[in-house]
């Protein structure tokens, strides 16, 4: 805890509520994305071993062929277990609910410290908003709030050696708010936007490459053509992974935030020559918090839809992959046999 500022139990409580939800949201999101990545990898393996079983079982040792079949049988079962776990505990929806609540609390913390700092009723306003956010979270999480306790410092992420790091427990001037909140968020969104753009380009290049390899194998025909289904499964998994991460939506979303924050920042700089009033400081905080909160709501809404579209019977999806792979190799075998009869 930062001891250089007067103790404010309500503000400390708000920061601790934020820290708990922030940490739980991040941890659950990482678990969920790892699980979905593993499920996508299993889907690709299912197609791979379907091809191996149907085309190469008689060319390898019987125990190797048996291993192919065992893995082919186990893959959909493993995916079924993972899908059942994900659907049962709603990990994807939970991390979004926790994130929405955490960002809502953060908005109220900065509103309390800047826009409402001269209001006598600000403690009641913050207390009422904390209660409302937590009740909404309880309903949104299906009546279950199983949260790991936060053991770190309050506020989280504060670095006393960094002059741009927010100590979190004091009221803020306009310039302090600009540094600790607006410019911090502007830099964060710029950095994340560049990272997501790089990831999006890598994934799109990989999709194009595997699609091209599949087209080449299909045109080449011959024995290698049976691998078209495998390259198609990789391309399909990459498309699904890009959609699950919501890269297109997030790049656009973050770009809008960067634009709006820059506009607010430029407006604030014009006030430096004439001097900013308390009303200007309040406007700075309210407009910034609105941009950040609206962006978070839009992101949560879009990600909920993306998760809902990607959820479902994953085992059935893997079985469809296997069937498609077998159908493709069967058609190719028939074509090769017909060509051999004509010779």
């Amino acid at each position: 805890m930062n001891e250089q500022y007067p103790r404010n139990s309500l503000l400390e409580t708000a920061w601790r509520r934020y820290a708990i939800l922030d940490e739980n949201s991040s941890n659950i999101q990482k678990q969920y994305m790892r699980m979905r990545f593993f499920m996508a990898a299993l889907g690709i393996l299912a197609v791979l071993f379907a091809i191996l079983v149907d085309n190469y079982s008689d060319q390898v040792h019987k125990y190797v062929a048996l291993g192919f079949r065992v893995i082919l049988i186990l893959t959909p079962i493993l995916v079924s277990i993972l899908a059942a776990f994900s659907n049962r505990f709603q990990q994807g929806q939970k991390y979004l609910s926790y994130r929405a609540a955490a960002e809502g609390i953060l908005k109220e913390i900065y509103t309390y410290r800047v826009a409402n700092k001269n209001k006598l009723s600000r403690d009641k306003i913050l207390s009422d908003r904390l209660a409302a956010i937590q009740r909404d979270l309880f309903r949104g999480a299906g009546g279950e709030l199983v949260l790991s306790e936060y053991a770190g410092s309050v506020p989280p992420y504060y670095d006393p050696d960094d002059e741009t790091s927010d100590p979190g427990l004091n009221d803020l001037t306009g310039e302090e708010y600009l540094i600790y909140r607006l410019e911090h968020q502007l830099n964060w969104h710029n950095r994340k936007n560049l990272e997501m753009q790089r990831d999006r380009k890598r994934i799109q290049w990989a999709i194009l490459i595997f699609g091209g390899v599949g087209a080449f194998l299909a045109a080449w025909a011959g024995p290698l053509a049976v691998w078209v289904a495998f390259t198609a499964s990789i391309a399909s998994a990459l498309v699904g992974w890009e959609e699950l991460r919501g890269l297109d939506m997030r790049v656009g979303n973050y770009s809008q935030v960067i634009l709006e924050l820059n506009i607010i920042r430029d407006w604030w700089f014009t006030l430096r020559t004439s001097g900013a009033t308390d009303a200007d400081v309040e406007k700075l905080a309210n407009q910034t918090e609105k941009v950040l909160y609206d962006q978070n709501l839009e992101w949560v809404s879009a990600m909920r839809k993306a998760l809902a579209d990607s959820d479902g019977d994953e085992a059935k999806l893997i079985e469809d992959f296997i069937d498609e792979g077998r159908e493709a190799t069967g058609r190719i075998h028939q074509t090769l046999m017909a060509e051999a009869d004509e010779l």
Side-chain angles (χ1 to χ4, degrees):
M1 185 183 301
N2 191 341
E3 298 293 348
Q4 62 179 310
Y5 296 104
R7 188 178 182 87
N8 185 322
S9 298
L10 178 59
L11 195 53
E12 290 173 14
T13 297
W15 274 119
R16 186 162 295 279
R17 295 285 185 272
Y18 165 77
I20 291 172
L21 292 171
D22 175 69
E23 185 173 74
N24 278 268
S25 174
S26 297
N27 291 340
I28 294 174
Q29 180 183 17
K30 290 174 183 176
Q31 294 170 7
Y32 178 76
M33 297 304 286
R34 280 197 299 265
M35 184 168 61
R36 292 306 300 258
F37 180 85
F38 187 54
M39 291 165 69
L42 286 175
I44 296 172
L45 284 177
V47 176
L48 170 63
F49 282 98
I51 293 172
L52 294 176
V53 167
D54 288 347
N55 298 275
Y56 301 100
S57 291
D58 56 348
Q59 301 176 26
V60 297
H61 192 279
K62 63 179 181 179
Y63 290 117
V64 175
L66 178 62
F68 289 167
R69 294 184 181 278
V70 169
I71 294 175
L72 181 60
I73 293 169
L74 288 178
T75 301
I77 296 174
L78 287 174
V79 175
S80 296
I81 293 172
L82 291 174
F85 177 86
S86 178
N87 291 334
R88 174 65 181 83
F89 293 100
Q90 293 290 308
Q91 284 188 305
Q93 299 298 333
K94 278 188 177 179
Y95 91 75
L96 290 173
S97 295
Y98 295 166
R99 173 53 54 201
E103 295 302 322
I105 290 175
L106 198 58
K107 171 181 177 290
E108 298 304 326
I109 287 173
Y110 280 102
T111 300
Y112 176 89
R113 298 170 63 202
V114 185
N116 293 345
K117 66 181 179 181
N118 296 320
K119 295 181 180 179
L120 296 176
S121 61
R122 69 170 183 164
D123 283 357
K124 183 178 186 307
I125 294 172
L126 178 58
S127 179
D128 289 346
R129 289 299 302 141
L130 287 177
I133 290 170
Q134 291 176 93
R135 289 192 179 103
D136 288 343
L137 173 61
F138 181 76
R139 289 190 292 268
E144 292 184 1
L145 279 180
V146 183
L147 298 169
S148 300
E149 190 57 47
Y150 174 73
S153 60
V154 174
Y157 308 119
Y158 172 55
D159 180 3
D161 297 325
D162 181 2
E163 62 181 11
T164 65
S165 182
D166 184 7
L169 299 177
N170 60 311
D171 291 341
L172 299 176
T173 64
E175 287 296 319
E176 288 173 332
Y177 178 81
L178 181 77
I179 295 171
Y180 295 151
R181 181 63 165 161
L182 191 152
E183 291 191 343
H184 175 272
Q185 287 296 304
L186 185 58
N187 293 334
W188 186 90
H189 281 86
N190 271 313
R191 185 175 69 254
K192 287 295 182 180
N193 221 23
L194 290 172
E195 291 175 3
M196 288 187 296
Q197 178 68 355
R198 286 194 294 267
D199 288 348
R200 184 168 66 162
K201 286 183 176 179
R202 292 191 190 104
I203 293 174
Q204 289 175 350
W205 269 112
I207 292 170
L208 292 172
I209 289 170
F210 281 106
V213 170
F216 173 80
L217 293 175
W220 185 264
L224 291 178
V226 298
W227 292 96
V228 172
F230 181 61
T231 59
S233 70
I234 296 176
S236 178
L238 288 169
V239 170
W241 183 248
E242 183 181 24
E243 292 176 351
L244 181 66
R245 291 184 61 190
L247 292 179
D248 288 340
M249 175 275 299
R250 291 171 70 188
V251 168
N253 182 294
Y254 284 19
S255 297
Q256 181 69 31
V257 172
I258 292 168
L259 171 66
E260 297 296 338
L261 291 183
N262 271 318
I263 291 173
I264 296 172
R265 184 172 177 267
D266 293 344
W267 165 77
W268 177 258
F269 285 162
T270 64
L271 298 176
R272 285 180 168 175
T273 55
S274 58
T277 65
D278 288 343
D280 292 328
V281 174
E282 184 175 341
K283 182 179 178 181
L284 170 69
N286 285 334
Q287 288 190 346
T288 302
E289 294 306 322
K290 184 178 187 306
V291 167
L292 294 173
Y293 189 66
D294 288 349
Q295 171 264 330
N296 180 66
L297 287 181
E298 183 180 342
W299 174 77
V300 169
S301 177
M303 288 304 297
R304 285 189 191 279
K305 185 179 184 304
L307 292 182
D309 291 343
S310 67
D311 284 341
D313 190 349
E314 297 288 349
K316 179 64 167 57
L317 179 62
I318 301 306
E319 291 171 3
D320 290 343
F321 274 153
I322 295 172
D323 291 341
E324 290 172 6
R326 283 175 169 163
E327 289 174 5
T329 55
R331 288 193 299 270
I332 292 166
H333 276 151
Q334 292 176 3
T335 301
L336 293 177
M337 291 298 293
E339 291 176 353
D341 290 341
E342 292 175 359
L343 296 177

